Amino acid sequence: MSVLVLILILTVVNVSIRVVPTFFVGKLELPENFVAFLNYIPIAALGVLVFPGILTAVETPTQGLLAGVFAAALGILRVSLFFIVVLSVAFVYVLMLLP
C-alpha cells in the first residue's frame, strides 16, 4: 500500500470521527449532570499532560513537584496566570541554585 493511499484513508477516518458527531450531538438534549461531567474533561486532560512534564523538566522530580505545589498555591490565591508562570520559573531557578 502506498504512503499516499494510507494518508488518504487515515484522513477520511480522522475527519469522519471529528465531523460526523457534530451533526448528531446538536440535536440531542443531554442531561445537566452529563454536561457538568463533560465540562471537567479538559481540566483532567490538561492535568494528565502537564504532570509528567513537571516531573521531568528539571534536574530532579522533587524540584518539579515543589514547583507544581508552588504554582498550585499561587493559583488557589487567585494570582494572575502570567505571574504564576513567571514566579514558578523563578522558584525553580532558585531551587536549582540550592545545593
Side-chain angles (χ1 to χ4, degrees), residues 18-82:
R18 293 172 187 263
V19 173
V20 171
T22 60
F23 294 113
F24 298 112
V25 172
K27 298 174 185 174
L28 293 176
E29 299 242 356
L30 300 173
E32 196 64 37
N33 291 339
F34 187 66
V35 172
F37 168 75
L38 291 177
N39 287 333
Y40 288 109
I41 290 177
I43 297 169
L46 183 63
V48 167
L49 294 172
V50 169
F51 188 72
I54 288 174
L55 298 178
T56 59
V58 290
E59 293 176 359
T60 65
T62 306
Q63 291 174 339
L65 195 58
L66 288 172
V69 169
F70 180 74
L74 291 176
I76 290 170
L77 294 173
R78 301 267 189 207
V79 176
S80 170
L81 182 60
F82 174 78

